[in-house]
Every structure is written in C-alpha cells, then in structure tokens.
Amino acid sequence: MSDSKDQSVWLKYTGEERAAVDDLARDYIDFLSTCKTERESVVEAVRRAEACGYRDLGGLVARGEKLKAGDKVYAVNMKKAIILFHIGTAPLEEGMNILGAHIDTCRLDVKQNPLYEDGGLAYFDTHYYGGIKKYQWVTIPLALHGVVVKKDGTVVEIVLGEKESDPVFCVTDLLIHLSQEQLEKTAAKVIEGEKLDILIGSVPLKKDDKESVKDGILTLLEQHYGIAAEDFQSAELTLVPAGRARELGFDRSLVLGYGQDDRVCSYTALRSMLETDTPRRTACTLLVDKEEIGSVGATGMQSRFFENMVAELLSACGQYSDIALRRTLMHSKMLSSDVSSAYDGLYADAFEKKNVAYLGCGMVFNKFTGARGKSGSSDASAEYLGELRRIMDDAGVSYQLAELGRVDLGGGGTIAYIMANYGMNVIDNGVAVMSMHAPWEVTSKADIYEMKKGYDAFLLT
C-alpha cells in the first residue's frame, strides 16, 4: 500500500468502492461550495456535529455538568475556529489522537474604508490575504462573503455572487493592446497589490454630482442590508471565486474548486471525527484560522485556545491538574492535516520525482516541510512514521511519502511545529493539491477517499 507512485489507487477499487469514492466527493463538493470562509466552515461544522450528538462544551461547563467516556463535545473560538472531542475509555493523561487542519484560505479582504469612485466607476479597495500569485485574481468572477457588525451589535451577513441570479464582482486588467510596458514586468509585479481593487458599479445616483456612482452604491447597501459607509469600519468582508466546485476531467476523477488548501483536510477530518465510534484514546479534531498568515492571533494555532479547551475537558472529566494537562499534551499524537504539492508534468523541473506526491496515489505524509535547510519544520521522528505506516497498512490505506518540491527551490509550513512544542508526536499529513493557492485548485477523488480512510484508522488507534 505504501509509496506506490507508479500505481494509481483507482486500479484497486471495486465497483462498490468507486461508488463510495463518488459519494464522498459529492458531499465534499457541497462542503467546498458552501464553506468559503472560516465563519461559514465553523457554522457547518457545528451543524454537522450537533446532528451527530455533539454538545457545546462551554454550556456544559457553565452548568457544572461532568463528562465521561463516550461523550462528544465541541467548542467554538470567536466564530472562526472549532475544536471537537470524543472522550475515549482511556484516561486523558495517556494522550489524545488529534487531527488538526485549517479553514482559512487565500482571498481578497475588503479594507475598512474601501469604497471609492474613479472615472465614473465604483470600487472596493482590498488587501490580499495569504500567499497568492496576484495576476491569477484578475478578470475572474468573484463573490462577496462576510459580516458587517454595526455599532449596536447588529450582525449583517452577506453572501452575494453565488446564485445564478446574483451579480458578481471582478478585478479588471489592462487590455493587451496597451500592455507593452506591463508585460515587461516580472510576474510578481505585473499586477501590484494595490491594483487588486474590485469593480462594483457604474450607475450614478444623480446627474453631475461628484462621486454620484459611489453614492448610488451606498444607497443600494442601505436599501438591501441597512448598512452605511461607516459600518465598513467594523466589517469582515472578503472576495472569493464565485461558483460551485466541480468535477474535473472526462472521467470525473478530479475535483476543481476554491479553498481546497486546506478544506480538503478539514472536511475529511470532520467527517472521520463525526463518524468515529467511542475510541480508546480520546479523539480530537481542530479546525483553526490564520494558518496562511503564520497561525497568529486569537483564532490561530499559536493562541492558547487549544490548551485552554483541553484543560476544560480534563476538569469536566474530574481529571484536571497542571501535571495532568502537561501529560495529556505530551502523550498525544497528531496528524497535522495540511495539503502537499502534487506533481505537475507541465512544471516537472520544480519537483524531485522520487520524492513528490502524485494525484491518485493516496494520502500523503510529509516527514518534514520547511524551506531549504528544513527551516521552520518540526521533522517527525522515524519511530512515529513507522507506527503510522503500520496503522495505514493494517487498514488497507494507500499512502505516499513526499516533500513539497526541489531542495532550495522553496517550501512551506503548517501548524505542526506549534503542536510539537508540547512534546507530542506530530507529522504533516494531507492530500496532494495541484495549483495550490490559485483561485481554483485540483485534487483527486481517490486521494480524498484514502485520506478519510486514513483518518478513520488513526482516530481509533
């Protein structure tokens, strides 16, 4: 089952298994198409969790209720991150089996004073989020997602551009006939960050009035959403590629969609967590924010949210002490669930073929990530990787060992190094993604299915 880069996983499937692959992919496509922001992902995770019997940990703690083996709880952090626990039969001090993925994705964020008019057109000023090739974001249909919070605390939720009847938005580009100077720039400079502004309208409100198009947009915002220009100061609005994720290829074997880094891992982790029977070791799934910008802030992995919730869990189980918390964290084992780069024959010289992940060859283990001299990597131990190989082989899971690309070419990071600070065993593990960080990314249905199988096996060990 291991590292079979010359053997497509598709060849091992029976007709029944192929049907199961498609069933999982259909639900995944729905998840991708519905959950394009952290807030939307958390709402969907809570909905699915409560349908499976999970209860709010904060409410249980407030009521003084105690927890026991078999209980299932969740906690939400500022509506942008969520942690789920399924309490096992073993004492928590023996450690947990943890899946940790991120639900933030590369995008264009609307600034706090965004609306302006130029040349009879109205625009939103933006600031890009995460590592992107800026030129990829021009001229494609974009949808507006997010919330506006008014001074009185009223929250206005906005999703515009996803229905066929909705308008969409875009970043414009310079016509090819006038692009001689533009095309002489490097790809990093051909579209500047300050040029990623969004075209949002063109009809003036009144004849000959200055900024009348801008005023017209404000009038529409007041009519439809009850918000004024100053309300953008307390808003979180983002532009993402409009439209549903789709099956890709004549054989429908691939998925094309926005935000698969890292919703392909967060989706499969959530599905496995919700479908796991009472485990021996407590199962835990983390879906966190801010990974694309360094895991910082109150909702990122570097916050104390995870540690605090483990302490609350120990307390509710009647097992809390400071040393018990330290032992629980140290004895835990984690799959840092994040994507890996997929081999692309069009750019073969960026990869080292013996150590790259291939689409359709199973889930991926990255013993280390980082850049160049493994900088920024937690580098999992050989013993832990050997244990995981046994678990996956026993469960019939297809997997491959890989790194992100050629040495000295680049690299990347995940939340693994943060969790490794507790002394627990951690390894990067995910699905191979082609066109990573582009507005539309590619994955294999087979890899998604094998990932789910791998998570199922891991949580029950």
mmCIF file of all heavy atoms in Angstrom, residues 338-359:
data_model
loop_
_atom_site.group_PDB
_atom_site.id
_atom_site.type_symbol
_atom_site.label_atom_id
_atom_site.label_comp_id
_atom_site.label_asym_id
_atom_site.label_seq_id
_atom_site.Cartn_x
_atom_site.Cartn_y
_atom_site.Cartn_z
ATOM 1 N N ASP A 338 -2.620 19.000 6.555
ATOM 2 C CA ASP A 338 -2.486 20.078 5.582
ATOM 3 C C ASP A 338 -2.028 19.473 4.257
ATOM 4 O O ASP A 338 -1.452 18.386 4.217
ATOM 5 C CB ASP A 338 -1.494 21.127 6.069
ATOM 6 C CG ASP A 338 -1.796 22.516 5.536
ATOM 7 O OD1 ASP A 338 -2.512 22.621 4.519
ATOM 8 O OD2 ASP A 338 -1.311 23.498 6.123
ATOM 9 N N VAL A 339 -2.265 20.188 3.193
ATOM 10 C CA VAL A 339 -2.051 19.632 1.864
ATOM 11 C C VAL A 339 -0.583 19.609 1.473
ATOM 12 O O VAL A 339 0.252 20.304 2.046
ATOM 13 C CB VAL A 339 -2.858 20.422 0.817
ATOM 14 C CG1 VAL A 339 -4.341 20.326 1.108
ATOM 15 C CG2 VAL A 339 -2.413 21.880 0.772
ATOM 16 N N SER A 340 -0.285 18.801 0.469
ATOM 17 C CA SER A 340 1.052 18.734 -0.103
ATOM 18 C C SER A 340 0.964 19.087 -1.578
ATOM 19 O O SER A 340 -0.116 19.041 -2.184
ATOM 20 C CB SER A 340 1.632 17.332 0.070
ATOM 21 O OG SER A 340 2.987 17.284 -0.327
ATOM 22 N N SER A 341 2.087 19.443 -2.168
ATOM 23 C CA SER A 341 2.096 19.787 -3.594
ATOM 24 C C SER A 341 2.006 18.525 -4.439
ATOM 25 O O SER A 341 2.621 17.501 -4.130
ATOM 26 C CB SER A 341 3.369 20.551 -3.946
ATOM 27 O OG SER A 341 4.518 19.796 -3.601
ATOM 28 N N ALA A 342 1.238 18.594 -5.517
ATOM 29 C CA ALA A 342 1.092 17.474 -6.438
ATOM 30 C C ALA A 342 1.981 17.678 -7.661
ATOM 31 O O ALA A 342 2.116 18.807 -8.161
ATOM 32 C CB ALA A 342 -0.360 17.331 -6.869
ATOM 33 N N TYR A 343 2.550 16.605 -8.144
ATOM 34 C CA TYR A 343 3.381 16.667 -9.345
ATOM 35 C C TYR A 343 2.562 17.153 -10.534
ATOM 36 O O TYR A 343 1.436 16.708 -10.772
ATOM 37 C CB TYR A 343 3.962 15.286 -9.659
ATOM 38 C CG TYR A 343 4.771 15.257 -10.935
ATOM 39 C CD1 TYR A 343 6.063 15.765 -10.972
ATOM 40 C CD2 TYR A 343 4.223 14.732 -12.107
ATOM 41 C CE1 TYR A 343 6.801 15.748 -12.142
ATOM 42 C CE2 TYR A 343 4.957 14.705 -13.280
ATOM 43 C CZ TYR A 343 6.243 15.219 -13.294
ATOM 44 O OH TYR A 343 6.966 15.203 -14.453
ATOM 45 N N ASP A 344 3.131 18.080 -11.284
ATOM 46 C CA ASP A 344 2.508 18.604 -12.492
ATOM 47 C C ASP A 344 3.532 18.518 -13.615
ATOM 48 O O ASP A 344 4.564 19.187 -13.576
ATOM 49 C CB ASP A 344 2.074 20.053 -12.263
ATOM 50 C CG ASP A 344 1.267 20.625 -13.422
ATOM 51 O OD1 ASP A 344 1.359 20.097 -14.547
ATOM 52 O OD2 ASP A 344 0.534 21.616 -13.203
ATOM 53 N N GLY A 345 3.259 17.674 -14.606
ATOM 54 C CA GLY A 345 4.200 17.459 -15.692
ATOM 55 C C GLY A 345 4.508 18.710 -16.486
ATOM 56 O O GLY A 345 5.535 18.776 -17.160
ATOM 57 N N LEU A 346 3.629 19.713 -16.430
ATOM 58 C CA LEU A 346 3.894 20.963 -17.141
ATOM 59 C C LEU A 346 5.006 21.770 -16.478
ATOM 60 O O LEU A 346 5.583 22.668 -17.093
ATOM 61 C CB LEU A 346 2.619 21.806 -17.214
ATOM 62 C CG LEU A 346 1.446 21.195 -17.981
ATOM 63 C CD1 LEU A 346 0.252 22.132 -17.950
ATOM 64 C CD2 LEU A 346 1.848 20.886 -19.426
ATOM 65 N N TYR A 347 5.268 21.451 -15.214
ATOM 66 C CA TYR A 347 6.304 22.155 -14.447
ATOM 67 C C TYR A 347 7.212 21.146 -13.751
ATOM 68 O O TYR A 347 7.552 21.282 -12.585
ATOM 69 C CB TYR A 347 5.658 23.100 -13.425
ATOM 70 C CG TYR A 347 4.643 24.026 -14.058
ATOM 71 C CD1 TYR A 347 3.291 23.728 -14.010
ATOM 72 C CD2 TYR A 347 5.051 25.165 -14.726
ATOM 73 C CE1 TYR A 347 2.357 24.562 -14.609
ATOM 74 C CE2 TYR A 347 4.138 26.018 -15.338
ATOM 75 C CZ TYR A 347 2.782 25.704 -15.275
ATOM 76 O OH TYR A 347 1.873 26.533 -15.878
ATOM 77 N N ALA A 348 7.616 20.120 -14.498
ATOM 78 C CA ALA A 348 8.343 18.990 -13.927
ATOM 79 C C ALA A 348 9.638 19.397 -13.246
ATOM 80 O O ALA A 348 10.060 18.773 -12.263
ATOM 81 C CB ALA A 348 8.632 17.959 -15.021
ATOM 82 N N ASP A 349 10.278 20.470 -13.734
ATOM 83 C CA ASP A 349 11.573 20.835 -13.172
ATOM 84 C C ASP A 349 11.467 21.438 -11.772
ATOM 85 O O ASP A 349 12.486 21.660 -11.115
ATOM 86 C CB ASP A 349 12.309 21.795 -14.101
ATOM 87 C CG ASP A 349 11.520 23.071 -14.386
ATOM 88 O OD1 ASP A 349 10.345 23.145 -13.997
ATOM 89 O OD2 ASP A 349 12.089 23.990 -15.004
ATOM 90 N N ALA A 350 10.251 21.686 -11.286
ATOM 91 C CA ALA A 350 10.079 22.205 -9.920
ATOM 92 C C ALA A 350 10.073 21.095 -8.881
ATOM 93 O O ALA A 350 10.155 21.369 -7.679
ATOM 94 C CB ALA A 350 8.790 23.011 -9.818
ATOM 95 N N PHE A 351 9.983 19.845 -9.331
ATOM 96 C CA PHE A 351 9.825 18.723 -8.414
ATOM 97 C C PHE A 351 10.992 17.750 -8.515
ATOM 98 O O PHE A 351 11.696 17.698 -9.527
ATOM 99 C CB PHE A 351 8.516 17.979 -8.720
ATOM 100 C CG PHE A 351 7.297 18.856 -8.701
ATOM 101 C CD1 PHE A 351 6.764 19.348 -9.885
ATOM 102 C CD2 PHE A 351 6.682 19.201 -7.515
ATOM 103 C CE1 PHE A 351 5.643 20.160 -9.890
ATOM 104 C CE2 PHE A 351 5.565 20.014 -7.496
ATOM 105 C CZ PHE A 351 5.047 20.497 -8.683
ATOM 106 N N GLU A 352 11.169 16.979 -7.456
ATOM 107 C CA GLU A 352 12.125 15.871 -7.456
ATOM 108 C C GLU A 352 11.290 14.600 -7.501
ATOM 109 O O GLU A 352 10.623 14.253 -6.532
ATOM 110 C CB GLU A 352 12.985 15.944 -6.191
ATOM 111 C CG GLU A 352 14.262 15.129 -6.276
ATOM 112 C CD GLU A 352 14.056 13.717 -5.787
ATOM 113 O OE1 GLU A 352 14.026 13.511 -4.573
ATOM 114 O OE2 GLU A 352 13.916 12.809 -6.653
ATOM 115 N N LYS A 353 11.268 13.933 -8.649
ATOM 116 C CA LYS A 353 10.253 12.936 -8.944
ATOM 117 C C LYS A 353 10.187 11.791 -7.945
ATOM 118 O O LYS A 353 9.127 11.198 -7.741
ATOM 119 C CB LYS A 353 10.454 12.377 -10.357
ATOM 120 C CG LYS A 353 10.065 13.362 -11.448
ATOM 121 C CD LYS A 353 10.085 12.686 -12.814
ATOM 122 C CE LYS A 353 9.583 13.627 -13.892
ATOM 123 N NZ LYS A 353 9.552 12.973 -15.225
ATOM 124 N N LYS A 354 11.305 11.441 -7.330
ATOM 125 C CA LYS A 354 11.281 10.323 -6.378
ATOM 126 C C LYS A 354 10.617 10.713 -5.059
ATOM 127 O O LYS A 354 10.237 9.853 -4.280
ATOM 128 C CB LYS A 354 12.711 9.839 -6.084
ATOM 129 C CG LYS A 354 13.486 9.333 -7.288
ATOM 130 C CD LYS A 354 14.809 8.726 -6.880
ATOM 131 C CE LYS A 354 15.720 9.692 -6.143
ATOM 132 N NZ LYS A 354 16.079 10.890 -6.947
ATOM 133 N N ASN A 355 10.494 12.008 -4.803
ATOM 134 C CA ASN A 355 10.011 12.465 -3.503
ATOM 135 C C ASN A 355 8.944 13.549 -3.647
ATOM 136 O O ASN A 355 8.956 14.563 -2.952
ATOM 137 C CB ASN A 355 11.183 13.007 -2.669
ATOM 138 C CG ASN A 355 12.110 11.916 -2.201
ATOM 139 O OD1 ASN A 355 11.790 11.158 -1.299
ATOM 140 N ND2 ASN A 355 13.267 11.830 -2.844
ATOM 141 N N VAL A 356 8.012 13.298 -4.546
ATOM 142 C CA VAL A 356 6.901 14.213 -4.734
ATOM 143 C C VAL A 356 5.606 13.409 -4.698
ATOM 144 O O VAL A 356 5.609 12.205 -4.995
ATOM 145 C CB VAL A 356 7.033 14.983 -6.073
ATOM 146 C CG1 VAL A 356 6.924 14.043 -7.263
ATOM 147 C CG2 VAL A 356 5.985 16.091 -6.179
ATOM 148 N N ALA A 357 4.519 14.047 -4.301
ATOM 149 C CA ALA A 357 3.223 13.370 -4.282
ATOM 150 C C ALA A 357 2.585 13.427 -5.661
ATOM 151 O O ALA A 357 2.733 14.406 -6.400
ATOM 152 C CB ALA A 357 2.310 14.040 -3.258
ATOM 153 N N TYR A 358 1.875 12.349 -6.001
ATOM 154 C CA TYR A 358 1.198 12.250 -7.288
ATOM 155 C C TYR A 358 -0.300 12.140 -7.065
ATOM 156 O O TYR A 358 -0.750 11.424 -6.156
ATOM 157 C CB TYR A 358 1.689 11.026 -8.069
ATOM 158 C CG TYR A 358 3.114 11.153 -8.564
ATOM 159 C CD1 TYR A 358 4.186 10.918 -7.712
ATOM 160 C CD2 TYR A 358 3.380 11.522 -9.880
ATOM 161 C CE1 TYR A 358 5.499 11.052 -8.169
ATOM 162 C CE2 TYR A 358 4.684 11.649 -10.336
ATOM 163 C CZ TYR A 358 5.733 11.408 -9.480
ATOM 164 O OH TYR A 358 7.023 11.535 -9.923
ATOM 165 N N LEU A 359 -1.073 12.837 -7.903
ATOM 166 C CA LEU A 359 -2.526 12.731 -7.818
ATOM 167 C C LEU A 359 -2.955 11.286 -8.087
ATOM 168 O O LEU A 359 -2.439 10.628 -8.986
ATOM 169 C CB LEU A 359 -3.188 13.652 -8.839
ATOM 170 C CG LEU A 359 -3.071 15.164 -8.587
ATOM 171 C CD1 LEU A 359 -3.722 15.933 -9.735
ATOM 172 C CD2 LEU A 359 -3.719 15.553 -7.267
#
